[in-house]
Amino acid sequence: MEKIGGVPVCPGVALGELYVWERAPAPPAAEGGGPARELERLLRARDRAEEILEEQYRLALSRLGQDEADIFRLHRMMLEDPDFWAAARGPVESGQAGARAAALAAGETFARQLRALEDPYLRARADDVAEAARLLAAQLDGGEAPLTLPGPVILAADALDPGELLTLDRDKVLGLALGRAAPSGHWAILARAMGLPAVTGVEIAPTWSGRQAGLDGETGELWLEPDGETRGRLQARGLARAETAAAQALAARAPAVTRSGKQIEVCANIGKPEEAAQALAQGADGVGLFRTEFLCLGRADCPGEEEQFLACRWAAQAMEGRRVTIRTLDLGGDKRTPWLPPEEGENPALGLRGVRLTLARPDLFVPQLRAILRAAAFGKLAVMFPMVTSPEEVDRARALLDQCRARLEAEGVPAGPLEVGVMVETPAAALLAHKLARRVDFFSIGTNDLTQYTLAADRQSPALAGLWDQRNPAVWELIARTAQAGKAAGIRVAVCGQLAADREMTGRLLEAGVDELSVPPADVPAVKARVRELD
Ligand code: PEP
Ligand code: MG
């Protein structure tokens, strides 16, 4: 047995086989096409890197939470920084350097400057710049191969970028032993949110792969070939932690009731059916938003009726009788897929997206509605339509849903009951909420888009982050109107945008009459705890 001291980062213990991972060296530079060609490559790589960061932002938001997702926004901001971009582009334009060398050099220069600053926050941003530059450079070589693990292992690596960590298969990683990664780095925030025991500051040898190890994230210790006594001790600690977590999960499963006795449903937002199990483990009372477009992103074709049926049934069954609200495809705008024709027009956020797109494309809408109706025979499902701006859109979508039900019946295919709702995420929908309320069983207020459209502030633009403010009084006015209209019509009012997880605003939302809050799974326990504190 060999004991190696490291720096503790994330609590928890792991016992298992080590797997040492090294980032593959960049292939030989394919540079030499001249400055114009290199500049074009650099621009294309930047577009791709930004796309990846946006995907990672959404993934982190759906799986982990806002703080974790913001890491990817920050990286995007780094890439968009005019000074960084000038430093990367200048040497390429003048022919002094190829695209990859220039991207990496700009990252190194900025990281060095940041490391020399006194402010610890700014100093810590050095890693972000280097990581963003590395992502950019990797796109010049056709992108990085994903980090895949052979099975459940303790992953040993010099350092991990946030994107590498986020996209790891969580079931295959028992713990992390890192070499040079800073304990305060963004990777640590992600590892904690993912519940991964982790240590850093360990001198890793490539020969470790395949050896047995034990790791204690609380003390920072790593054991190679731990003896029986050490194993027993680690197992006992692991068991004690699991018992505490189980007790907490049990408490989280209890309903969230205010002091005055009103029960608020605290549900989870998910993007894939497998995330339902996590939602349940966190104590979610249901799924308030299943973003089905996640089933479509990053693939060459649209999933067919059968695949969507299986995904919806999976989520419904995993939630063990709790309600799962399925949002129909919210594609278009910033949610592009390779199989959708490119958006026409200058402003895709105001284009053919959400229910507008699905109403215009029955070839997409009908299979999805059929899939949802069929899955409703296996659990408690609700369906809702995104980006609604008029009562007519709701009427048309409902009519199509009725046709699909009739057709299934004629075919002898079982379909279950469904609540039908709309997302209120455009000012038009909020202003017409009294008319919409008569047509549906519930509202779900999408404060992310509602904020974007009310304040005319692109939700994706880091430069407008200060303007895009869900607490803005104009946004509140629309939320209050919507809730009032919902209450007057006697229908359920939910909030599923980021505001639902803002615990400083929970009281105001409940005062407005909101019955349900739907938040990233990891936020469920804290939001439930907040509800229990309120009158
Ligand atoms: C919203 O707009 O608030 C919402 C929940 O939907 P999305 O973030 O997926 O657009
Ligand atoms: Mg939205």
Side-chain angles (χ1 to χ4, degrees):
M1 178 173 84
E2 187 184 343
K3 181 169 143 186
I4 298 158
V7 181
V9 181
C10 306
V13 297
L15 272 168
E17 195 178 304
L18 275 164
Y19 177 76
V20 181
W21 177 77
E22 278 177 273
R23 199 173 281 118
E31 296 161 2
R37 160 108 183 83
E38 281 300 284
L39 185 60
E40 191 195 312
R41 278 186 356 105
L42 187 64
L43 288 167
R44 237 183 301 127
R46 185 173 76 160
D47 287 349
R48 181 64 196 128
E50 286 184 359
E51 252 172 58
I52 291 173
L53 289 170
E54 187 57 27
E55 279 163 24
Q56 291 174 341
Y57 170 82
R58 287 183 181 280
L59 191 65
L61 189 60
S62 118
R63 283 197 188 155
L64 305 173
Q66 189 63 50
D67 291 348
E68 292 76 16
D70 282 343
I71 294 170
F72 300 96
R73 277 280 152 85
L74 182 72
H75 281 197
R76 195 165 156 194
M77 226 154 98
M78 303 274 176
L79 284 187
E80 285 175 359
D81 180 83
D83 293 333
F84 171 81
W85 189 236
R89 170 182 187 135
V92 176
E93 276 176 322
S94 64
Q96 276 174 306
R100 186 168 67 206
L104 290 173
E108 270 164 34
T109 309
F110 276 72
R112 210 177 319 115
Q113 285 169 1
L114 285 165
R115 272 189 205 108
L117 295 176
E118 284 208 354
D119 182 331
Y121 175 81
L122 292 175
R123 258 203 328 265
R125 299 290 68 80
D127 285 345
D128 293 306
V129 182
E131 285 159 5
R134 201 155 46 231
L135 181 73
L136 174 64
Q139 305 322 305
L140 288 156
D141 306 316
E144 271 168 342
L147 197 179
T148 46
L149 298 174
V153 290
I154 296 176
L155 173 60
D158 195 33
L160 288 173
D161 286 350
E164 286 161 347
L165 195 49
L166 178 73
T167 47
L168 274 182
D169 183 347
R170 179 66 188 84
D171 293 338
K172 291 191 176 167
V173 53
L174 304 166
L176 299 173
L178 301 189
R180 272 183 319 114
S184 58
H186 277 146
W187 72 274
I189 296 176
L190 289 178
R192 219 165 280 129
M194 292 165 79
L196 276 173
V199 301
T200 187
V202 176
E203 204 161 312
I204 293 157
T207 51
W208 282 1
S209 272
R211 292 183 70 181
Q212 289 297 314
L215 175 155
D216 187 334
E218 220 149 330
T219 61
E221 290 159 312
L222 178 77
W223 292 265
L224 292 181
E225 312 296 350
D227 59 20
E229 193 250 314
T230 309
R231 282 179 163 278
R233 196 159 26 88
L234 284 176
Q235 269 159 355
R237 284 177 64 121
L239 203 63
R241 280 185 64 85
E243 276 169 2
T244 313
Q248 281 169 351
L250 212 61
R253 281 198 182 205
V257 181
T258 62
R259 288 194 196 164
S260 52
K262 178 164 162 86
Q263 183 173 342
I264 301 298
E265 290 199 43
V266 181
C267 299
N269 297 343
I270 63 168
K272 294 266 171 75
E274 53 267 41
E275 288 161 25
Q278 195 200 343
L280 200 61
Q282 297 289 342
D285 298 321
V287 167
L289 167 64
F290 179 0
R291 292 179 161 105
T292 55
E293 60 281 359
F294 270 86
L295 302 171
C296 309
L297 299 177
R299 53 183 280 168
D301 55 352
C302 178
E305 176 183 324
E306 197 57 24
E307 191 177 336
Q308 292 196 59
F309 160 66
L310 292 173
C312 295
R313 190 181 69 176
W314 180 354
Q317 289 180 329
M319 290 308 289
E320 298 171 357
R322 293 165 187 80
R323 188 193 305 112
V324 176
T325 302
I326 301 186
R327 172 170 78 184
T328 57
L329 292 174
D330 187 20
L331 289 167
D334 56 301
K335 294 168 192 159
R336 309 297 315 164
T337 69
W339 47 267
L340 264 183
E343 184 96 40
E344 283 174 18
E346 295 280 300
N347 204 336
L350 305 182
L352 195 63
R353 56 167 299 195
V355 79
R356 297 175 190 175
L357 175 78
T358 43
L359 282 172
R361 291 279 307 266
D363 59 314
L364 298 179
F365 211 6
V366 168
Q368 179 168 48
L369 294 176
R370 283 174 61 95
I372 297 169
L373 283 161
R374 285 173 55 198
F378 294 87
K380 189 171 172 186
L381 287 198
V383 64
M384 65 181 178
F385 307 115
M387 291 302 300
V388 163
T389 52
S390 72
E392 292 71 34
E393 282 168 340
V394 181
D395 292 342
R396 286 176 60 202
R398 284 205 78 139
L400 198 58
L401 185 68
D402 291 343
Q403 280 170 28
C404 290
R405 184 183 288 282
R407 188 69 213 239
L408 286 170
E409 212 171 343
E411 290 168 15
V413 180
L418 262 185
E419 280 186 21
V420 179
V422 283
M423 286 198 70
V424 177
E425 53 180 347
T426 63
L431 293 168
L432 295 181
H434 56 291
K435 295 196 173 177
L436 297 175
R438 279 187 240 129
R439 292 165 157 84
V440 292
D441 305 308
F442 67 96
F443 282 155
S444 187
I445 308 177
T447 53
N448 305 337
D449 276 311
L450 188 61
T451 305
Q452 150 162 283
Y453 294 120
T454 306
L455 301 178
D458 185 347
R459 61 189 268 191
Q460 295 198 83
S461 164
L464 295 182
L467 256 184
W468 185 86
D469 175 12
Q470 310 213 353
R471 297 182 181 188
N472 181 288
V475 179
W476 272 98
E477 186 69 33
L478 294 177
I479 293 172
R481 282 181 81 121
T482 306
Q484 230 168 28
K487 293 288 98 185
I491 63 169
R492 182 161 51 88
V493 178
V495 175
C496 65
Q498 283 171 36
L499 190 66
D502 182 345
R503 297 200 296 283
E504 284 178 29
M505 294 292 121
T506 311
R508 277 189 73 184
L509 286 172
L510 301 198
E511 264 171 44
V514 166
D515 310 291
E516 176 189 309
L517 298 167
S518 194
V519 300
D523 286 326
V524 169
V527 172
K528 278 194 153 180
R530 180 71 190 126
V531 169
R532 292 183 189 122
E533 285 169 8
L534 295 165
D535 285 333

